[in-house]
Amino acid sequence: MILDILHRLILGPLELLFDAVYAIGYRITGNPGLSIVLLSLIMNLLMLPLYRRADVLQEEERLQARMMKPGIDKIRRAFRGDERFMILQTYYRQNNYKPWYVLKGSLSLLLEIPFFIAAYRYLSGLSLLQGTAFGPIADLGKPDRLISLFGTQVHLLPILMTLINIVSGAIYTREMPLRSKIQLYGMALVFLVLLYNSPSGLVFYWTLNNLFSLVKNIILKKTGSAEKAAAKKAAPGKPAGAPAAGRQYKVLFYSCCVFLTILLGILIPSAIVNASPAEFVELDDFRSPLRYVLSSALLAAGTFLIWCVIFFRLSSDRGRKCFALAAAVLSVVTVINYMFFGTGYGNLTALLKYDNPLSVQVSDTLLNLGIILLAACVVVFIWKKKPEILKAICIAGCIGLTVMSVSNIRGIGASFAELEVLTEKEREKPSFTLSRTGKNVVVIMLDRCISGFVPYIFEENPGVAEQFRGFTYYPNTLSFGRNTNVATPSLFAGYEYRPFELDKRSDTGLPEKQNEALKVLPVLFMENGYDVTVCDPPYAGYLWIPDLGIFDDYPSIHRYITHGAFIDNSEAIRKKNRVINRNLFCYSVFRASPVLLQAGLYNDGRYNEAEALHISDESSVIFTEESEVRSTGISDEFMKAYTALQHLPAMTKTDTSGENTFLILSNTATHDVTMLQEPAFVPQQIVDNAAYEAAHKVRTSAAGGHLELKTAEQMEHYQSDTAALIQLAQWFRFLRENGLWENTRILVVSDHGYEMGLNHILTGGNEGDNALAPYDGVMAYNALMMIKDFGSGNEFTVNNTFMTIADMPSEAMRGLIENPMNPFTGNPITEDAKNKEEEQYVMLTDWRIAENHGNQFTDPVRLVLKNKYLFDESNWEVP
Amino acid sequence: MFFYIDPGTGSMLFTILIGVLGALIYVLRNSWMKLKVLFLGGKSRERSHSRTPFVFFTDSKRYYTIFKPLCDEMEKRGETVLYLTASPDDPLLKENYTHVKAEFIGEGNRAYARMNMLQADVVLSSTPGLDVYQWKRSRNVGWYVHVLHAANGVTCYRMFGIDYYDALLLSGEYQIREVRALEAQRHLPEKECVLAGLPHMDALLKKKQERGPAPEHETTVLLAPSWGPSSIFNKFGEQMIEKLRKTGYHIILRPHPQSLVSEKELIDRLRSRFPESEKLEWNFDNDNFDVLYRSDLLISDYSGVVFDFALVFDRPIIYADVSFDFEPYDAGWLNNEMWTFRALPKVGIQLTRENADRLPELIEESLHSRAFAEGRREAIEETWANQGNSIPSIADYLTGVRSRLLQEGGVRHVK
């Protein structure tokens, strides 16, 4: 924690500077390698005055120490203990010397440490360099491998760097004792070893720095100016050390630094966050957005209270005067810029991007420049006349900014507390209860799951089949439509809700009828004393994201959306965190800068972040299939559904109170299919099934069927269905292990199938002979139906009895609810229609609920099935 | 993690380490010192917000001869004075003044804690080491004045002893030269130097004059050494007392008060070996006036008493040869010899290991030398300015400085 804070304070501003300088270099040159040259040049030029000062101070310290040595020796001889200390203290005081002046001599090194830690961290982690060639270097992200010697690769850059280092050191230590020389060359060798295997981009930067240092040393040795300057200052008879003249600027400079820290680090960031605190909070990462303000405050403090102060303290009197005046002008100008300009850029998102590109008016730019000039003149005028007034204004400003900041921070705190209460419910993860002692009825609807694949999946995955023992599989199951909108009402509520029956109730809208169907079973079970949980009722409210509000009349029914509830969006959250942590301070700087610079600093919302320059905004690689056996990327939609299935055990709470339970859950992992890596059938960034598929070209079933998957569509459906069943199997294992198996009735159903040119595995005929061909093949109307009853034994049985999806409700209630009556229509729920009626009517209609939401389905087409058997094409009558 | 090192800075890694450690120790030590004064100083911190016009501070009742007449003078003039002493049994605590208030402020750090927070216009003290040792300049004191308590100059204080006073009340031109030399060497601003004289010697002189000439008595030799490993008792000890006894003069042995504390064993041994008799006397008086008054010759090493005796009572002395280490003293920073060492040969004979056997002859010689009487007169001229008039001069100076301060607007900025 403390280390994090220190890192942010000291290294944070440097890393930001490196990033911005590099990014701007990249924007100018468009070349990652040249940008390194630019970065090195600018950083070294920036450091040059610091080094020059440090050299002078070092020499000064050396001279002073030499002057004071006889006195110190005398005191050491004459006194002991506390008295010696006090006398030495007085002697130091008389000579304007502080014991830590010893550090003056090491200043240049001390200053370099943070700069180079920052450079090291920045360049070795910069993905822009990965795989980028520069001149003879093939990849700036890897060691250069420029020389090939006797079959081994030798890196040239580190060697070059060391050579430069040695030459530079030879010049620097020309008049120094042998010990210094040995130390120096030793150091050069150590760095050769340490950096030898580093990315060549980094070594290149290092090499450039050494080159710079070499040039600096040559010039310094020629002029010898450090010694001269120091000797002039530490002339005998005159005490060396900080002269008092610079002190009068100190207070002004420091108070301006505090002012800028509060303005840029706290006030502007807190104002942004306070404008809409909720946007800065993620449900999955529920932390106070004040951390962003803290982060920018630390960056600002590091910039103004540490680095600016270091530069200030290392300056000469003249330099300090300039610094103080500049700080005063800067403070005034930033306030003016922030308060009066750039306020009309539009709506800002939480990622600190405006909805629309920045449009800067030339007139604004000119007006702003004029006002800045005027303000600067006023400041200089006051500075000349009465500098104390500036000091007073600045301190008063600090107080004012602090008050405003505190008000913002309190606002954010209050909003966050409110948010915490409001979202408590939403942040609750889905869960349901199964009883160990009572009876549990579970209905799982797998959208579009292909019934015909089941025998092949079980054959290929014996472990899955093992967990499905006790289930009865009904292959001969009819769906009354090939889409969710026509199929789900009958699936959820029985024969009364078959599509043509629904259309008879032409006085009621389809959305109402859908909602009613979804409520039938939950309400019936609830009324019979069951603890009911509904997850993802499909098309509830006729919306893609189900509206759980349809159950608002039944508060005791638990309802959840599992779709996406378990998705790992930590990557997105991490990105958001990183972007805001970095850019909130950058935003402040951008807003407080002159209008002329604003567009450049805003940089289309990227704020000169090098990494952001080459990555498109819509992040991450989207799923693309490259062939039937290869794909890259992961489908978000599949993952949202798949993770819900993965979390079934986690969602399961057990109960021993004896209360019966009912759970109905739908899942779309089988609908939003994707390509999965075989043989584990798991999602992967890069899927390559070429070898596996070559070895498993023909899949077989226990009954002797053959399945050849040829297209990506077939592959993806088969793989996704398998993945869903694998997850169910794992949950079944969990149920068995937790004593929830025997007393649980489970129905695994799908609402419909899908046409993908595989009808022959169901009919045994040729694909082209299919009578249903114009209206999709039989696979589209064949739904999955597998039922495991209470204490169903250990066998997996196949039952060819004719079933329809509308049988699900009565099967779910069988033996538990006697003579169930639909609570909304008052009609009994039975399977009579199937048994009595010779013909079953299937409807084709528009699947889009956004269009097809009147009282009746649009343009219905009727398909007729006779003889209660799906897989004989002669049983189908088509118009 | 590692970092790039500029050529030549490699060797600085070590320097940094030493520097950081040194600075750390310095800071710790400094805060420890401050804490010591703060805590050991206890509660005796200045609370009152009224600024006292004059504060006299003494670390010991020994300087009674300076402060008593000064307090009397200020009382007479109706000036308000706060007399602060670190001696609980300071006799001035019992005085009944109207304008002078005497207060015991604790000993050691406790006293300094009070002094460091003091609020006063002018502070007068004979204590050296202001702003060097635990006694710091208070930022609410306008002017610090140092008064000499002995005739032997300003360079025999321990190093930097008077550097942070604003004014020095001196007794000889040579002292001003020494002060200026030190100031130049240390780049310190010039202090105000006033030849105000020596209150202590004036007091002795006055007392002597009041008593008139000493009554007829047998010739008396006083042995009053200082203390420590190089003092007479330690170096010459029994042998010398033995020799003195044999001279047949009346002998008075007066050990330094500190000897009774630090060298009790030695003194006890000497006392049992040389018990009191008609011809030999041990003296432990608080005030040394009486014993000086009735002595005809003094044998001593370098304590102030040598000059007291020689210059006030105008009688001969024999001073012991003890090697003197200048290093801890301000004198160690100046090349020319200390005035004391220039003056001594003029006023008395030096006792060395070589001539120690001839002590009785030395005594005879001293008692009758004309050259030494002449030497004493010279020394008085050099080091006892404003003779007999120091008290009114000091009082004048103090009141004058205060009114000047008030005109200038109070506190003088500390250099």
Side-chain angles (χ1 to χ4, degrees):
Chain A
M1 183 64 189
I2 291 170
L3 276 181
D4 283 348
I5 289 175
L6 278 180
H7 181 130
R8 195 129 188 101
L9 268 176
I10 296 166
L11 295 181
L14 293 185
E15 283 174 1
L16 191 61
L17 184 67
F18 270 90
D19 195 16
V21 169
Y22 186 84
I24 291 169
Y26 186 68
R27 279 168 69 189
I28 295 168
T29 62
N31 180 314
L34 282 180
S35 309
I36 293 182
V37 179
L38 229 72
L39 179 70
S40 166
L41 201 67
I42 288 174
M43 294 317 275
N44 274 298
L45 284 177
L46 196 68
M47 291 286 285
L48 192 61
L50 276 193
Y51 285 152
R52 297 275 292 109
R53 270 300 285 174
D55 278 349
V56 171
L57 288 178
Q58 181 183 342
E59 201 51 42
E60 223 175 86
E61 199 278 332
R62 224 178 276 168
L63 286 178
Q64 200 183 5
R66 204 184 301 156
M67 255 168 48
M68 284 173 52
K69 190 158 187 319
I72 291 173
D73 288 346
K74 183 200 280 278
I75 291 167
R76 283 187 186 285
R77 278 196 306 271
F79 299 99
R80 294 275 170 277
D82 281 0
E83 188 180 14
R84 178 197 276 181
F85 177 74
M86 289 186 282
I87 293 287
L88 267 179
Q89 218 178 2
T90 309
Y91 184 62
Y92 286 156
R93 178 156 49 125
Q94 291 184 347
N95 286 280
N96 275 324
Y97 182 83
K98 299 272 183 330
W100 46 82
Y101 283 0
V102 175
L103 292 183
K104 267 189 187 173
S106 317
L107 257 179
S108 51
L109 178 61
L110 274 179
L111 278 175
E112 273 174 54
I113 292 171
F115 267 82
F116 286 100
I117 292 176
Y120 185 86
R121 286 172 52 90
Y122 181 68
L123 286 173
S124 58
L126 190 64
S127 68
L128 209 60
L129 298 180
Q130 301 299 324
T132 308
F134 180 66
I137 304 163
D139 183 351
L140 285 170
K142 293 201 177 76
D144 59 61
R145 291 191 204 153
L146 278 177
I147 308 173
S148 197
L149 265 185
F150 311 112
T152 47
Q153 307 272 321
V154 176
H155 310 318
L156 180 65
L157 265 182
I159 296 171
L160 194 67
M161 176 190 81
T162 310
L163 282 178
I164 294 175
N165 220 343
I166 287 175
V167 173
S168 175
I171 294 173
Y172 189 85
T173 59
R174 206 159 43 190
E175 285 141 30
M176 293 192 188
L178 182 69
R179 207 172 55 110
S180 306
K181 289 182 189 183
I182 292 172
Q183 257 176 353
L184 208 81
Y185 299 140
M187 221 52 175
L189 286 179
V190 167
F191 276 95
L192 174 63
V193 173
L194 285 176
L195 281 181
Y196 186 70
N197 277 318
S198 291
S200 50
L202 178 65
V203 184
F204 181 51
Y205 178 76
W206 247 246
T207 311
L208 289 171
N209 278 333
N210 284 351
L211 205 62
F212 200 92
S213 162
L214 173 67
V215 173
K216 186 184 79 180
N217 285 338
I218 291 174
I219 294 171
L220 276 187
K221 274 289 155 183
K222 271 210 173 130
T223 59
S225 42
E227 285 86 347
K228 267 188 226 158
K232 207 168 90 191
K233 218 168 159 197
K238 215 177 123 201
R247 250 169 228 156
Q248 64 191 85
Y249 313 118
K250 242 185 186 167
V251 180
L252 179 64
F253 180 77
Y254 288 163
S255 45
C256 285
C257 283
V258 172
F259 182 89
L260 287 169
T261 302
I262 301 174
L263 177 70
L264 298 178
I266 305 175
L267 182 68
I268 301 180
S270 64
I272 285 298
V273 176
N274 195 29
S276 176
E279 280 191 73
F280 292 89
V281 178
E282 290 286 321
L283 282 183
D284 286 340
D285 181 28
F286 205 76
R287 288 185 289 160
S288 170
L290 280 175
R291 69 183 193 279
Y292 296 128
V293 179
L294 174 68
S295 173
S296 62
L298 288 175
L299 262 182
T303 306
F304 297 112
L305 297 181
I306 294 183
W307 285 107
C308 283
V309 167
I310 287 177
F311 271 76
F312 177 77
R313 298 209 58 139
L314 280 177
S315 301
S316 57
D317 279 353
R318 239 178 77 87
R320 285 184 188 206
K321 201 170 149 184
C322 294
F323 262 112
L325 184 59
V329 171
L330 200 64
S331 300
V332 173
V333 168
T334 47
V335 171
I336 292 173
N337 290 337
Y338 172 63
M339 284 178 44
F340 305 111
F341 292 92
T343 47
Y345 288 141
N347 190 33
L348 190 74
T349 67
L351 286 171
L352 304 170
K353 231 183 129 157
Y354 288 107
D355 284 345
N356 300 310
L358 218 59
S359 71
V360 180
Q361 306 295 322
V362 180
S363 56
D364 272 359
T365 311
L366 293 177
L367 179 67
N368 178 254
L369 276 180
I371 290 179
I372 289 174
L373 214 63
L374 190 68
C377 288
V378 170
V379 171
V380 173
F381 179 77
I382 302 177
W383 164 276
K384 287 256 160 84
K385 293 286 159 199
K386 255 196 154 23
E388 307 83 52
I389 293 185
L390 279 184
K391 236 184 278 176
I393 292 175
C394 198
I395 292 170
C398 287
I399 296 169
L401 293 186
T402 308
V403 170
M404 288 193 272
S405 301
V406 166
S407 147
N408 282 342
I409 287 168
R410 287 172 62 106
I412 297 169
S415 303
F416 181 67
E418 246 169 64
L419 214 59
E420 202 158 21
V421 177
L422 274 179
T423 56
E424 202 170 3
K425 189 80 196 151
E426 282 177 61
R427 281 184 286 131
E428 196 182 303
K429 287 282 178 198
S431 71
F432 50 81
T433 305
L434 294 183
S435 173
R436 269 180 221 252
T437 46
K439 285 187 157 56
N440 308 303
V441 178
V442 174
V443 178
I444 309 268
M445 182 194 114
L446 297 174
D447 199 327
R448 200 203 270 178
C449 187
I450 307 299
S451 173
F453 284 160
V454 169
Y456 298 95
I457 292 172
F458 283 2
E459 193 69 13
E460 189 176 355
N461 302 278
V464 176
E466 169 74 18
Q467 294 301 329
F468 274 82
R469 279 182 295 117
F471 270 90
T472 301
Y473 167 50
Y474 299 93
N476 189 22
T477 299
L478 178 70
S479 167
F480 295 104
R482 60 182 175 182
N483 301 114
T484 300
N485 58 341
V486 276
T488 44
S490 55
L491 173 67
F492 276 77
Y495 287 89
E496 226 182 318
Y497 292 84
R498 285 174 295 171
F500 290 100
E501 301 299 315
L502 282 179
D503 272 358
K504 285 180 191 161
R505 291 168 61 187
S506 56
D507 55 336
T508 313
L510 286 169
E512 286 99 302
K513 288 183 271 194
Q514 176 80 13
N515 293 347
E516 187 181 300
L518 291 172
K519 287 189 280 192
V520 167
L521 275 182
V523 170
L524 264 174
F525 274 100
M526 180 199 79
E527 285 173 349
N528 283 276
Y530 282 68
D531 177 51
V532 178
T533 305
V534 180
C535 296
D536 310 83
Y539 293 176
Y542 250 40
L543 295 168
W544 282 105
I545 297 165
D547 174 15
L548 296 175
I550 66 166
F551 291 100
D552 278 354
D553 291 340
Y554 313 97
S556 66
I557 294 177
H558 314 294
R559 59 267 190 176
Y560 300 103
I561 303 291
T562 65
H563 187 77
F566 299 98
I567 197 78
D568 177 21
N569 52 1
S570 52
E571 192 48 52
I573 289 173
R574 244 200 307 282
K575 185 191 164 194
K576 190 174 172 182
N577 267 321
R578 189 180 60 74
V579 167
I580 301 177
N581 274 332
R582 179 191 186 275
N583 291 352
L584 198 52
F585 175 62
C586 298
Y587 174 83
S588 298
V589 172
F590 139 68
R591 280 298 312 282
S593 65
V595 175
L596 186 66
L597 302 177
Q598 288 191 343
L601 290 170
Y602 175 66
N603 185 213
D604 298 326
R606 296 193 198 100
Y607 298 95
N608 295 303
E609 183 182 11
E611 295 285 3
L613 289 177
H614 73 307
I615 296 173
S616 74
D617 276 351
E618 305 329 316
S619 70
S620 82
V621 195
I622 43 170
F623 172 73
T624 37
E625 56 201 27
E626 288 158 0
S627 72
E628 70 279 8
V629 287
R630 282 193 194 87
S631 72
T632 53
I634 290 174
S635 154
D636 282 347
E637 280 305 306
F638 173 79
M639 287 310 293
K640 284 179 185 167
Y642 178 70
T643 47
L645 293 179
Q646 282 182 311
H647 283 79
L648 279 172
M651 277 191 265
T652 311
K653 307 248 179 311
T654 53
D655 174 69
T656 49
S657 68
E659 193 183 18
N660 299 328
T661 73
F662 174 67
L663 165 70
I664 185 160
L665 177 149
S666 354
N667 188 276
T668 56
T670 47
H671 185 283
D672 304 320
V673 295
T674 189
M675 202 172 282
L676 299 170
Q677 181 63 48
E678 294 167 339
F681 298 93
V682 286
Q684 233 167 251
Q685 271 297 342
I686 295 169
V687 170
D688 185 353
N689 289 327
Y692 184 87
E693 281 303 323
H696 299 79
K697 207 172 167 51
V698 181
R699 289 174 163 84
T700 54
S701 72
H706 294 274
L707 169 65
E708 283 188 65
L709 301 171
K710 289 182 174 141
T711 68
E713 189 178 46
Q714 294 168 0
M715 293 279 187
E716 287 167 12
H717 277 85
Y718 181 83
Q719 290 160 359
S720 300
D721 288 2
T722 306
L725 293 185
I726 288 173
Q727 292 309 321
L728 286 185
Q730 277 173 7
W731 184 46
F732 295 161
R733 180 203 299 272
F734 169 87
L735 295 181
R736 282 187 169 94
E737 286 167 358
N738 286 278
L740 295 162
W741 183 251
E742 293 296 325
N743 60 333
T744 301
R745 170 183 287 166
I746 304 172
L747 296 89
V748 179
V749 294
S750 66
D751 51 349
H752 55 80
Y754 190 61
E755 162 63 39
M756 56 185 125
L758 288 170
N759 295 297
H760 57 274
I761 66 162
L762 298 173
T763 61
N766 291 325
E767 205 59 36
D769 298 345
N770 196 341
L772 279 168
Y775 306 104
D776 291 355
V778 64
M779 190 171 266
Y781 308 104
N782 181 204
L784 173 69
M785 173 82 73
M786 288 195 280
I787 301 173
K788 183 207 87 79
D789 213 339
F790 304 113
S792 60
N794 235 344
E795 292 303 311
F796 178 80
T797 43
V798 181
N799 186 329
N800 283 310
T801 307
F802 178 60
M803 300 289 278
T804 79
I805 51 173
D807 292 332
M808 190 277 276
S810 44
E811 291 299 324
M813 293 184 286
R814 181 188 298 281
L816 300 175
I817 298 172
E818 293 304 322
N819 303 317
M821 308 280 271
N822 184 321
F824 303 101
T825 62
N827 298 323
I829 300 171
T830 65
E831 297 176 17
D832 291 353
K834 171 183 77 174
N835 299 329
K836 282 183 196 151
E837 293 165 15
E838 274 309 305
E839 296 183 336
Q840 301 297 331
Y841 303 133
V842 174
M843 183 191 281
L844 301 178
T845 183
D846 190 349
W847 60 271
R848 295 168 300 176
I849 49 173
E851 277 78 22
N852 194 356
H853 59 234
N855 287 358
Q856 292 176 308
F857 293 111
T858 51
D859 306 325
V861 174
R862 185 193 303 251
L863 306 179
V864 183
L865 174 71
K866 291 185 272 191
N867 299 329
K868 299 177 177 168
Y869 185 64
L870 281 81
F871 307 123
D872 186 338
E873 62 183 82
S874 61
N875 288 343
W876 288 92
E877 199 168 275
V878 291
Chain B
M1 182 52 60
F2 45 89
F3 28 80
Y4 164 87
I5 290 186
D6 192 63
T9 44
S11 60
M12 284 178 204
L13 272 173
F14 190 67
T15 327
I16 287 185
L17 195 71
I18 299 295
V20 167
L21 278 177
L24 203 71
I25 290 168
Y26 182 88
V27 167
L28 285 178
R29 189 118 196 220
N30 203 2
S31 13
W32 175 237
M33 290 289 188
K34 282 184 181 151
L35 280 179
K36 265 209 282 219
V37 173
L38 197 70
F39 285 104
L40 298 180
K43 282 177 249 158
S44 67
R45 293 165 70 174
E46 179 78 22
R47 293 255 160 72
S48 94
H49 293 278
S50 59
R51 280 170 67 113
T52 317
F54 300 101
V55 168
F56 297 167
F57 168 64
T58 182
D59 58 297
S60 164
K61 61 179 177 184
R62 275 191 292 143
Y63 306 116
Y64 180 80
T65 47
I66 302 172
F67 291 106
K68 171 71 169 62
L70 264 176
C71 286
D72 291 346
E73 179 72 17
M74 295 303 262
E75 171 78 11
K76 200 171 81 193
R77 295 183 180 208
E79 297 284 355
T80 307
V81 173
L82 182 59
Y83 174 78
L84 301 176
T85 173
S87 288
D89 52 350
D90 193 313
L92 271 171
L93 288 168
K94 297 197 184 92
E95 287 290 337
N96 247 333
Y97 291 120
T98 346
H99 302 289
V100 178
K101 195 176 151 238
E103 194 185 325
F104 167 61
I105 55 168
E107 291 169 289
N109 283 325
R110 188 177 280 267
Y112 296 132
R114 167 73 180 269
M115 289 310 293
N116 295 352
M117 310 293 286
L118 194 68
Q119 304 198 2
D121 291 335
V122 179
V123 172
L124 176 78
S125 178
S126 63
T127 308
L130 172 62
D131 230 27
V132 174
Y133 298 124
Q134 288 90 334
W135 181 25
K136 305 293 177 201
R137 286 182 66 107
S138 162
R139 86 184 57 205
N140 292 311
V141 167
W143 197 256
Y144 281 95
V145 184
H146 182 78
V147 59
L148 294 178
H149 57 67
N152 48 5
V154 283
T155 57
C156 52
Y157 288 125
R158 287 176 95 73
M159 219 176 265
F160 312 129
I162 48 165
D163 280 355
Y164 295 97
Y165 275 97
D166 299 303
L168 306 174
L169 302 177
L170 305 176
S171 65
E173 288 289 347
Y174 74 95
Q175 294 165 348
I176 300 182
R177 286 194 296 275
E178 285 172 342
V179 168
R180 295 289 177 248
L182 288 175
E183 283 166 352
Q185 200 177 69
R186 293 168 189 169
H187 318 294
L188 295 169
E190 287 196 354
K191 287 175 274 290
E192 205 161 83
C193 291
V194 180
L195 293 180
L198 295 163
H200 165 66
M201 303 265 275
D202 281 359
L204 286 179
L205 183 65
K206 195 177 163 207
K207 210 166 171 182
K208 193 197 129 196
Q209 283 163 351
E210 279 165 8
R211 286 271 187 101
E216 209 47 43
H217 60 277
E218 58 178 320
T219 304
T220 305
V221 174
L222 170 63
L223 176 59
S226 72
W227 61 283
S230 54
S231 65
I232 291 177
F233 277 162
N234 279 284
K235 276 181 85 172
F236 301 102
E238 277 107 330
Q239 278 179 309
M240 179 181 263
I241 300 174
E242 195 62 53
K243 271 201 193 98
L244 282 175
R245 248 181 15 166
K246 284 183 185 153
T247 58
Y249 295 126
H250 185 77
I251 306 295
I252 304 177
L253 301 174
R254 179 178 161 82
H256 193 276
Q258 186 63 37
S259 291
L260 300 178
V261 181
S262 312
E263 304 164 330
K264 196 165 181 309
E265 263 179 51
L266 171 75
I267 302 299
D268 288 347
R269 200 179 70 224
L270 292 175
R271 281 184 76 181
S272 63
R273 170 102 190 262
F274 304 104
E276 294 222 7
S277 67
E278 209 179 306
K279 287 272 176 195
L280 187 123
E281 177 188 342
W282 284 88
N283 182 286
F284 301 102
D285 290 353
N286 238 340
D287 188 350
N288 62 4
F289 181 82
D290 282 330
V291 73
L292 294 180
Y293 182 69
R294 58 195 173 88
S295 300
D296 297 301
L297 183 129
L298 169 70
I299 304 174
S300 182
D301 31 35
Y302 305 136
S303 60
V305 73
V306 172
F307 285 103
D308 287 359
F309 190 75
L311 304 190
V312 176
F313 295 92
D314 194 18
R315 288 173 198 156
I317 55 149
I318 292 176
Y319 61 97
D321 164 41
V322 278
S323 57
F324 188 81
D325 179 16
F326 291 94
E327 282 215 306
Y329 303 93
D330 266 344
W333 290 87
L334 294 178
N335 291 327
N336 54 334
E337 207 185 2
M338 265 164 96
W339 176 83
T340 318
F341 292 91
R342 278 184 276 127
L344 275 172
K346 289 191 243 169
V347 296
I349 297 178
Q350 188 182 35
L351 181 72
T352 61
R353 279 200 188 282
E354 288 72 46
N355 65 10
D357 286 341
R358 301 194 295 118
L359 185 61
E361 294 155 49
L362 295 180
I363 292 173
E364 286 307 316
E365 195 186 329
S366 302
L367 284 171
H368 302 108
S369 164
R370 275 178 164 271
F372 289 141
E374 184 57 33
R376 289 198 288 273
R377 259 188 300 283
E378 255 174 58
I380 287 172
E381 234 159 70
E382 280 173 18
T383 200
W384 195 352
N386 203 19
Q387 194 177 23
N389 208 21
S390 63
I391 296 299
S393 293
I394 292 174
D396 286 349
Y397 175 74
L398 294 179
T399 49
V401 146
R402 177 160 183 265
S403 49
R404 195 176 81 206
L405 278 181
L406 294 180
Q407 268 170 19
E408 283 170 5
V411 179
R412 174 178 179 266
H413 282 290
V414 181
K415 48 216 155 217

